[in-house]
């Protein structure tokens, strides 16, 4: 739902990020309110992933402030309220890991050090696997799953901590259509439970009906913020040229003008 | 050597001490090694081992216990490798190489300065059963227990950090502290293993049992536990083998422990290949939807490309079923049987090719 009155969950003011001295984000303001489903869109290199990384604290700000749930980012300790799904390719490591283990690692935000898993922990992991439709694969190795299924595992991992705010970085990139649909179903369930979702996407695909606010980035700045746009609006030409016109029609060439001026001066 | 003589040898105090030290080493080294393999830093243990040579040499030079100087220098080296790796991003292997050669060259040079020959260094490079004193066994045991407690106690956190550092950071885990902890624990287990396996072979005990257990395990926890069991068996078994051979020749325990661990890997590898092949065969086939039908979830088997409705050329001597021996693979709404590289789907009197 588009929510203009709810309490702000993310408040970014003047967010500026430079990577290697080169500005990637330039003075962006973004307020996301409770329960919103926001899609961050734009071309490659427009800064949408960097903005999400800045909002989660992975990318230090050069300038500006970020408040999560009203708390400045560097003081933000209630990490269990935050769920993060990184870009693809990080689900497998050098050692086999089961789907359940990867998902359970998302529960660490709510588990203390040196504590055994409680019944609530196991229930949350089982529920997260259920939401993404992988309950029957819990005991399998993550590396035996397809790319789209691995992406769903990463979403389940973020879900396991039962967060209120989700950041997803390109969850649908390189994922086939049935898996995109499964992802969309999972996000629909989440959104229905009242979670706030901030999603980076190049193309929305099956996610389109869920998005109630689109933020389009261009060259490190927010270029559009409002109801979702069609593909043509985002990628098409923004400045339609109707007719050719001369800026200074009475001038043929600089010398014409000079000689004209010269004569004028004589008059 | 006859079995009774071997048993007599194993009853000796020094041998019992060595067996205890080997068992603890064999448990601790693969425990921490699993995290190194997960982070694709399998050679970190080797780098730390080389740095520890300098520590041993400093001990020989100053006349203090080489175990403790090795612990200190190994920890410093491990932290240095971790810091260089973190700051330099891509140059982790170069950082390792720098410390490899610096550590080994420094160790040999300082041993020379101490007036000792290569023989005194040999004990630390390849291990020595007889040289372990009672106090050193207690140190070894204490350090091994510390490594085991921290590794198993912090398993969920260390797993999260090793498998996805970015996610762990967003989840509020102190990624740098955990990475440093792994480096320090690796350094401690290297020095723990120094007297039994030796510094140059210690990394094998950290990595080879993990590679072996990976062949069969599906989860991280089972990989870790199986690697620890395999490491313990290899360490104790290798020590007994070297004691048994010691009647005929001088055999350092390090090489026999490592070769035993490698033999275990060689034995399980074909099994792992077979298991992976079987698992791949049993994978459900991707459901290829008809794009134009608009519903990608429902397969329309008869319009699919590659389907062949005619009966199979050669005679079927049996009905495909649970007991026919052909791998049964779920495919959409039915089950295919893999037969001579074809996918057979029962269809009335005959089998369709899917």
């Amino acid at each position: 739902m588009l929510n203009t009155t709810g309490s702000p969950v993310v408040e970014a003011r003047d967010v500026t990020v430079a990577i290697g001295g080169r500005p990637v984000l330039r003075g962006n303001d973004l307020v996301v309110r409770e329960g919103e489903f926001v899609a961050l869109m734009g071309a490659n290199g427009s800064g949408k992933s960097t903005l999400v990384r800045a909002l989660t604290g992975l990318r230090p700000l050069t300038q500006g402030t970020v408040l999560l749930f009203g708390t400045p980012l560097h003081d933000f300790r209630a990490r269990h309220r935050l769920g993060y799904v990184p870009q693809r390719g990080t689900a497998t490591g050098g050692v086999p890991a089961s789907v359940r283990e990867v998902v359970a690692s998302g529960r660490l935000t709510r588990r203390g050090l040196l504590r055994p898993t409680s019944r609530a922990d196991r229930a949350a992991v089982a529920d997260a696997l259920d939401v993404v439709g992988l309950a029957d694969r819990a005991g399998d190795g993550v590396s035996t799953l397809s790319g789209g299924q691995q992406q769903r595992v990463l979403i389940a991992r973020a879900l396991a901590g039962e967060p209120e705010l989700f950041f997803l970085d390109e969850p649908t990139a390189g994922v086939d259509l049935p898996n995109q649909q499964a992802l969309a179903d999972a996000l629909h369930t989440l959104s229905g439970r009242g979670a706030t979702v901030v999603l980076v996407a190049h193309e929305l695909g099956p996610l389109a009906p869920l998005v109630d606010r689109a933020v389009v980035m261009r060259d490190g700045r927010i270029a559009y913020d409002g109801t979702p746009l069609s593909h043509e609006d985002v990628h098409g030409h923004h400045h339609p040229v109707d007719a050719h016109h001369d800026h200074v029609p009475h001038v043929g060439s600089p010398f014409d003008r000079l000689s004209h001026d010269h004569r004028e001066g004589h008059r | 050597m006859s079995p009774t003589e071997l048993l007599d040898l194993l009853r000796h105090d020094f041998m019992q001490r060595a067996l205890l030290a080997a068992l603890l080493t064999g448990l601790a080294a693969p425990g921490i090694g699993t995290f190194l393999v997960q982070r694709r830093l399998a050679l970190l243990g080797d780098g730390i081992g080389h740095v520890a040579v300098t520590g041993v040499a400093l001990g020989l030079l100053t006349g203090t216990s080489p175990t403790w100087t090795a612990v200190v220098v190994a920890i410093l080296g491990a932290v240095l490798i971790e810091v260089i790796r973190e700051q330099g991003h891509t140059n982790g292997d170069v950082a390792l190489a720098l410390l490899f050669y610096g550590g080994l060259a420094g160790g040999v040079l300082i041993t020379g300065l101490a007036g000792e020959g290569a023989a005194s260094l040999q004990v630390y490079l390849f291990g020595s059963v007889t040289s372990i004193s009672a106090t050193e066994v207690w140190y070894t045991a204490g350090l091994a227990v510390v490594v085991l407690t921290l590794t198993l106690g912090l398993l969920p956190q260390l797993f999260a950090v090793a498998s996805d550092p970015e996610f762990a950071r967003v989840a509020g885990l102190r990624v740098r502290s955990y990475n440093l902890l792994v480096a320090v624990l690796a350094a401690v287990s290297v020095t723990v293993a120094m007297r039994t396996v030796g510094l140059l072979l210690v990394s094998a005990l950290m990595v080879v049992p993990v590679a072996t257990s990976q062949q069969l395990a599906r989860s991280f926890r089972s990989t870790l536990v199986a690697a620890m069991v395999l490491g313990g068996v290899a360490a104790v078994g290798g020590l007994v083998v070297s004691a048994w051979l010691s009647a005929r020749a001088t055999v350092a325990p390090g090489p026999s422990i490592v070769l035993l661990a490698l033999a275990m890997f060689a034995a399980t590898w074909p099994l792992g290949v077979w298991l992976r092949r079987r698992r791949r065969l049993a994978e459900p086939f991707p459901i290829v939807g008809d794009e134009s039908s608009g519903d990608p979830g429902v397969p329309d088997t008869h319009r699919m490309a590659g389907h062949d409705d005619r009966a199979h050329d050669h005679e079927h001597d049996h009905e495909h079923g649970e007991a026919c021996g052909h791998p049964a693979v779920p495919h959409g709404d039915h089950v295919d049987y893999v037969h001579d590289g074809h996918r057979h789907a029962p269809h009335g009197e005959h089998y369709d090719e899917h």
Side-chain angles (χ1 to χ4, degrees), chain A residues 103 107 110 118-131 156 159-162 193:
Chain A
V103 174
R107 190 66 190 170
R110 286 184 186 268
S118 67
R119 187 172 298 163
D121 292 332
R122 281 190 293 272
V125 169
D127 178 61
L129 281 167
D130 219 31
V131 169
L159 261 166
E162 297 172 285
R193 289 177 184 178

Side-chain angles (χ1 to χ4, degrees), chain A residues 70-133:
Chain A
T71 313
L73 197 53
H74 58 270
D75 294 328
F76 185 70
R77 294 285 171 272
R79 291 284 172 167
H80 57 87
R81 303 181 79 175
L82 204 64
Y84 174 60
V85 180
Q87 259 180 359
R88 245 179 91 188
T90 42
T92 58
V95 172
S98 70
V99 170
R100 189 184 285 110
E101 283 176 316
V102 172
V103 174
S105 69
R107 190 66 190 170
L108 286 175
T109 50
R110 286 184 186 268
R111 269 177 68 188
L113 280 180
L114 302 173
R115 298 263 174 77
T117 49
S118 67
R119 187 172 298 163
D121 292 332
R122 281 190 293 272
V125 169
D127 178 61
L129 281 167
D130 219 31
V131 169
V132 299

Side-chain angles (χ1 to χ4, degrees), chain A residues 53 56-58 79 82 84 86 90 93-98 101-102 105-106 108-109 111-114 137 139-141 144 157 178, chain B residues 34 37-38 40 153-154 156-157 159-160 163-164 166-167 169-173 178 210 214 217-223 279 283 296:
Chain A
R53 291 170 64 83
T56 52
L58 283 172
R79 291 284 172 167
L82 204 64
Y84 174 60
T90 42
V95 172
S98 70
E101 283 176 316
V102 172
S105 69
L108 286 175
T109 50
R111 269 177 68 188
L113 280 180
L114 302 173
R137 305 298 300 267
D140 291 358
T144 64
R157 179 178 66 176
Chain B
T34 309
V37 175
Q38 169 77 358
R40 304 188 192 277
L154 297 175
Q157 281 79 12
F159 169 70
S163 55
D164 191 344
E166 292 210 329
F167 173 79
R169 259 180 75 190
V170 176
L173 296 174
Y178 281 112
V210 182
Q214 265 183 21
R218 280 187 190 188
S219 73
F220 189 82
R221 188 183 294 264
S222 58
T223 307
R279 215 177 290 159
E283 275 286 292

